């Protein structure tokens, strides 16, 4: 298929606006916590709403994306996510906040899968890997949303008004970009057709890969949701300083992902996965033992690089395994993104009884698990042996072609 790199730029922009919509909400969590007078454990229970909704929707999102096609799924997915994002700011009780976040999680699933499948198909069609760069723009969106969210908090804009503005802007831009995406068909497999299940669970062949991503995404979710509260409650920081850790984390993660394609091709997926896990561990140690906000920000930046290319590597590896890529990506997301969304409640529950430092320290265990499982990111040809690491000089997104 004769596609140009312009198609890749479209999907990168969609990753940007998807994450920016989410991070505008995430940076306002301290304000909603203060408004409702919630203790860390109560907030942790509310934050469980997103993983409950996401896991539910991820179970069938792969089949939905295969049925609708990725472009149509993106066009439908944006309003399914953005409409619920209006609700958390209006919640006046923890119970309403919990159910609002369940709806947010339900809306995330189809859009998440559709964006990743589209990135994989465009990369294959143009003969260049774009997955890491797409996730770099996801990180830039996270950073952009944290900046606009911090500014809104600094100038006293209520979470309700703030999110109304965000939702309107992202909806208009997202639908415009999605309408310009090309229709790209999945590559036909040489083997027999496999019927797509409507309920997607990770197959035994990718469970360890899912657990690898689960650990580092748990770290990512914990920092994204709790870094602002950590700076506020442990060090007495106020806006916009409370948003600096998330901004540093997102910025370094974005540049790590921009370089991720080159790094993984130069040094191999497994080697880069191990390096990233070690850097993330070091950054977390700095955050846990920090004596001032600057150390927290530096530790968050290091951790941002550590988690930067973990999920792109896992997505590329999953797409190269047996079965429809959309189903494999949905199965990977089902388990690994559970880590992204279970990390914040875990930190909150531990912080309630042991303090915020101990809560952040629990993320070290997840990073250690990912380091142990880092060999799982080596791409494999369906039905064959492992692809050698020395072959990483090739485009890893095309190893299974």
């Amino acid at each position: 298929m004769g596609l140009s790199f312009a198609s890749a730029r479209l999907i990168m922009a969609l990753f940007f606006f998807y994450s920016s919509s989410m991070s505008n909400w995430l940076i306002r969590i301290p304000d909603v916590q203060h408004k409702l007078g919630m203790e860390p454990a109560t907030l942790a229970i509310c934050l469980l709403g997103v993983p409950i909704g996401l896991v539910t929707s991820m179970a069938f999102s792969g089949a939905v994306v295969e049925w609708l096609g990725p472009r149509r799924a993106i066009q439908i997915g944006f309003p399914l996510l953005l409409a619920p994002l209006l609700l958390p700011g209006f919640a006046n009780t923890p119970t309403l906040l919990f159910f609002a976040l369940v709806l947010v999680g339900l809306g995330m699933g189809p859009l998440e899968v559709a964006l990743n499948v589209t990135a994989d198909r465009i990369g294959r069609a143009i003969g260049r890997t774009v997955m890491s760069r797409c996730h770099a723009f996801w990180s830039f969106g996270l950073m952009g949303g944290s900046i606009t969210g911090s500014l809104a908090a600094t100038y006293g804009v209520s979470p309700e008004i703030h999110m109304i503005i965000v939702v309107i802007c992202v909806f208009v831009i997202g639908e415009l970009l999605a309408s310009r995406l090309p229709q790209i068909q999945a590559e036909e497999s040489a083997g027999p057709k496999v019927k797509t299940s409507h309920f997607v669970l990770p197959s035994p062949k990718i469970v360890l890969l899912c657990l690898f991503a689960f650990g580092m995404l748990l770290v990512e979710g914990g920092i994204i949701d709790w870094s602002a509260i950590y700076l506020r409650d442990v060090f007495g920081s106020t806006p916009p300083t409370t948003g600096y850790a998330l901004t540093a984390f997102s910025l370094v993660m974005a540049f790590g992902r921009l370089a991720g394609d080159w790094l993984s091709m130069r040094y191999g997926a497994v080697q880069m996965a191990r390096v990233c896990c070690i850097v993330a561990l070091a950054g977390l140690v700095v955050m846990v033992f920090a004596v001032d906000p600057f150390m927290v920000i530096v530790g968050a930046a290091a951790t941002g690089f550590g988690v930067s290319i973990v999920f792109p590597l896992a997505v590329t590896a999953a797409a190269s395994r047996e079965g429809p890529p959309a189903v494999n990506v949905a199965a990977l997301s089902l388990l690994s993104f559970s880590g992204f969304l279970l990390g914040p409640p875990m930190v909150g529950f531990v912080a309630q009884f042991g303090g915020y430092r101990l809560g952040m320290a629990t993320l070290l265990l997840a990073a250690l698990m990912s380091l142990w499982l880092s060999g799982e990111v080596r791409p494999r040809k369906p039905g064959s042996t492992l692809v050698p690491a020395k072959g990483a000089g090739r485009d890893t997104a095309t190893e299974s072609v």
Side-chain angles (χ1 to χ4, degrees):
M1 181 179 296
L3 293 183
S4 68
F5 197 74
S7 300
R9 294 191 186 99
L10 285 174
I11 192 64
M12 290 174 193
L14 285 163
F15 270 88
F16 177 92
F17 287 104
Y18 164 49
S19 66
S20 67
S21 66
M22 292 296 299
S23 62
N24 270 284
W25 148 246
L26 293 170
I27 207 69
R28 303 309 300 266
I29 289 176
D31 298 306
V32 174
Q33 180 194 25
H34 178 73
K35 181 180 79 170
L36 300 181
M38 293 185 291
E39 295 293 326
T42 305
L43 177 59
I45 293 172
C46 292
L47 293 176
L48 277 171
V50 177
I52 289 171
L54 180 64
V55 168
T56 302
S57 67
M58 279 295 184
F60 54 80
S61 290
V64 169
V65 172
E66 285 285 329
W67 173 56
L68 290 173
R71 186 176 75 172
R72 184 62 178 157
I74 291 171
Q75 290 175 312
I76 295 174
F78 265 105
L80 286 179
L81 169 67
L82 294 173
L85 267 180
L86 290 171
L87 303 178
F90 288 94
N92 53 19
T93 67
T95 302
L96 290 177
L97 177 62
F98 170 81
F99 285 110
L101 293 178
V102 170
L103 293 176
V104 171
L106 287 170
M108 288 175 64
L111 183 58
E112 177 69 33
V113 173
L115 288 171
N116 280 288
V117 170
T118 302
D120 180 68
R121 290 187 184 179
I122 288 175
R124 292 172 185 272
I126 66 176
R128 296 172 62 180
T129 179
V130 299
M131 188 64 74
S132 287
R133 274 170 283 188
C134 285
H135 285 266
F137 276 84
W138 186 94
S139 301
F140 279 127
L142 191 69
M143 180 189 69
S146 69
I147 292 172
T148 56
S150 295
L151 289 173
T154 301
Y155 289 102
V157 180
S158 69
E160 300 96 311
I161 301 301
H162 172 205
M163 290 311 299
I164 288 174
I165 296 170
V166 168
V167 164
I168 292 172
C169 293
V170 173
F171 173 75
V172 172
I173 297 171
E175 291 299 310
L176 178 63
L177 292 171
S179 68
R180 299 178 62 192
L181 284 172
Q183 287 281 16
I184 308 174
Q185 300 300 318
E187 295 179 356
E188 293 293 330
S189 174
K193 293 266 187 181
V194 179
K195 186 178 180 181
T196 300
S197 170
H198 291 284
F199 188 83
V200 181
L201 291 174
S203 73
K205 295 180 181 179
I206 64 169
V207 165
L208 294 180
L209 176 64
C210 292
L211 289 174
F212 161 77
F214 174 92
M216 291 302 283
L217 285 174
L218 190 147
V219 171
E220 185 176 338
I223 290 178
I224 287 173
D225 277 24
W226 287 98
S227 61
I229 297 174
Y230 188 60
L231 283 169
R232 184 194 67 186
D233 290 5
V234 176
F235 300 96
S237 301
T238 57
T241 305
T242 51
Y244 287 168
L246 179 56
T247 301
F249 174 85
S250 306
L251 179 63
V252 177
M253 180 167 60
F255 282 110
R257 286 175 170 174
L258 282 176
D261 294 324
W262 181 84
L263 289 171
S264 60
M265 288 189 290
R266 174 67 178 82
Y267 298 105
V270 175
Q271 184 68 14
M272 283 310 305
R274 288 172 180 159
V275 169
C276 286
C277 290
I278 291 170
V279 173
L281 281 166
L284 285 170
V285 169
V286 172
M287 291 186 73
V288 170
F289 293 100
V291 296
D292 57 38
F294 179 75
M295 288 186 67
V296 175
I297 294 166
V298 170
T303 309
F305 177 80
V307 304
S308 60
I309 61 172
V310 165
F311 190 67
L313 287 174
V315 168
T316 300
S320 73
R321 307 286 171 94
E322 286 186 54
V327 175
N328 284 347
V329 171
L332 173 76
S333 299
L334 174 66
L335 182 54
S336 61
F337 263 77
S338 299
F340 180 79
L341 297 160
L342 287 173
M346 182 188 75
V347 172
F349 282 123
V350 175
Q352 176 71 31
F353 302 103
Y356 286 106
R357 289 186 188 273
L358 184 60
M360 296 297 286
T362 58
L363 301 176
L364 290 166
L365 299 175
L368 284 169
M369 179 184 72
S370 293
L371 177 61
W372 180 53
L373 295 171
S374 56
E376 291 297 315
V377 301
R378 184 175 290 117
R380 302 178 187 177
K381 297 179 180 179
S384 70
T385 56
L386 296 180
V387 177
K390 289 192 294 185
R394 292 179 53 195
D395 181 353
T396 54
T398 61
E399 287 287 0
S400 62
V401 178

